[in-house]
């Protein structure tokens, strides 16, 4: 089973600054990786598919990169609505699908 | 627009069973797999399994094999997830989510609002 490890667990960033979130896979997953945003009391929202393709209506300040085992989600200029928990998910070989444990992005 | 509307909150005793409902609209029901994902209080996301509404084929995470059954009713565009032998560790929010890929499995794109399940004596 492929394990996804996200870092850091919590990231404190000021509005307007850049945030960089990492997701590392224990095995090769090609570019079969997605990123989700979850705000308190809400369902997750798909941000990025296939490591780097923004989902519909996702602002361009969100970008994804990486392949193989190392992936990055970058938020170029943080807005107040971006403070949330972010999860990565791999879908290269399943079952099972597996999520990372999440990175909490908080206001500094 | 795509909608996944889930059934309301449930409170169950340990050892009981429950069936959660997820009703889809706004897209061609038969053409997109549905995932079920749960989230324990204050915890991360856990994938439970998926169902292909066209034909009813399923795939479950190993830890849920034999305890969870996912079904789909194409006549009403509704998915069901039955879970048996509940314990307090099953207390969580349960989400259904539509797959992004047409007639295949890839990853969830659109999610239901979630159903809170509380297991307590």
């Amino acid at each position: 089973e492929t394990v996804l490890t996200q870092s850091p667990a919590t990231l404190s960033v000021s509005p307007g600054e850049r945030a960089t979130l990492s997701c590392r896979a224990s095995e090769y997953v090609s570019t079969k990786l997605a990123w989700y945003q979850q705000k308190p009391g809400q369902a997750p929202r798909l941000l990025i598919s296939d490591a780097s393709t923004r989902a519909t209506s996702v602002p361009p300040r969100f970008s994804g990169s990486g392949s193989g085992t190392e992936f990055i989600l970058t938020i170029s200029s943080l807005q107040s609505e971006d403070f949330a928990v972010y999860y990565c998910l791999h879908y290269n070989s399943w079952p099972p699908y597996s999520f990372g444990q999440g990175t909490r992005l908080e206001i500094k | 627009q795509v909608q996944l509307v889930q059934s309301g909150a449930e409170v169950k005793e340990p050892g009981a069973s429950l069936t959660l409902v997820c009703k889809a609209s706004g897209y061609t029901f038969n053409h997109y797999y549905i995932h079920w994902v749960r989230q324990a209080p204050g915890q991360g996301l856990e994938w439970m399994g998926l169902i292909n509404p066209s034909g009813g084929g399923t795939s479950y995470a190993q830890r849920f094999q034999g305890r969870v059954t996912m079904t789909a009713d194409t006549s009403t565009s509704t998915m069901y997830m039955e879970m048996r032998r509940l314990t307090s560790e099953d207390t969580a929010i349960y989400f259904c989510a539509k797959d992004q890929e047409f007639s295949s499995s890839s990853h969830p794109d659109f999610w239901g609002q979630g159903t809170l399940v509380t297991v307590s004596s």
Side-chain angles (χ1 to χ4, degrees), chain A residues 32 34 36 38 41-46 48-50 55 87 89-91 94-101 104, chain B residues 33 35 37 39 42-47 50 59-62 95 99-100 105-109 111-114:
Chain A
K32 300 298 186 184
Y36 297 85
Q38 188 179 33
Q42 296 186 16
R45 171 198 179 195
L46 177 65
I48 301 286
S49 298
D50 297 336
Y87 294 95
L89 167 73
H90 92 83
Y91 46 100
W94 60 271
Y97 288 76
S98 57
F99 291 89
Q101 81 279 19
R104 181 178 305 277
Chain B
Y33 290 40
H35 301 257
V37 175
Q39 186 170 38
Q43 302 301 307
L45 301 169
E46 179 179 26
W47 184 79
L50 60 74
S59 178
Y60 302 117
Q62 187 170 9
F95 296 100
D99 198 281
Q100 185 184 64
S105 57
S106 176
H107 59 289
D109 60 355
W111 298 60
Q113 86 276 18

Side-chain angles (χ1 to χ4, degrees), chain A residues 48-95:
Chain A
I48 301 286
S49 298
D50 297 336
S52 61
T53 303
R54 272 191 304 276
T56 303
S57 302
V58 173
R61 63 179 181 273
F62 291 91
S63 64
S65 63
S67 66
T69 61
E70 300 283 346
F71 301 87
I72 297 290
L73 174 69
T74 302
I75 311 170
S76 60
S77 178
L78 279 163
Q79 308 296 304
S80 57
E81 62 266 29
D82 300 335
F83 292 96
V85 180
Y86 292 82
Y87 294 95
C88 56
L89 167 73
H90 92 83
Y91 46 100
N92 183 59
S93 59
W94 60 271

Side-chain angles (χ1 to χ4, degrees), chain A residues 11-66:
Chain A
L11 182 61
S12 299
V13 182
S14 300
E17 294 189 341
R18 173 188 298 258
T20 302
L21 289 67
S22 173
C23 177
R24 173 176 291 179
S26 63
E27 300 173 350
Y28 176 84
V29 298
S30 183
T31 56
K32 300 298 186 184
L33 188 109
W35 289 94
Y36 297 85
Q37 176 193 66
Q38 188 179 33
K39 297 179 180 179
Q42 296 186 16
R45 171 198 179 195
L46 177 65
L47 296 176
I48 301 286
S49 298
D50 297 336
S52 61
T53 303
R54 272 191 304 276
T56 303
S57 302
V58 173
R61 63 179 181 273
F62 291 91
S63 64
S65 63

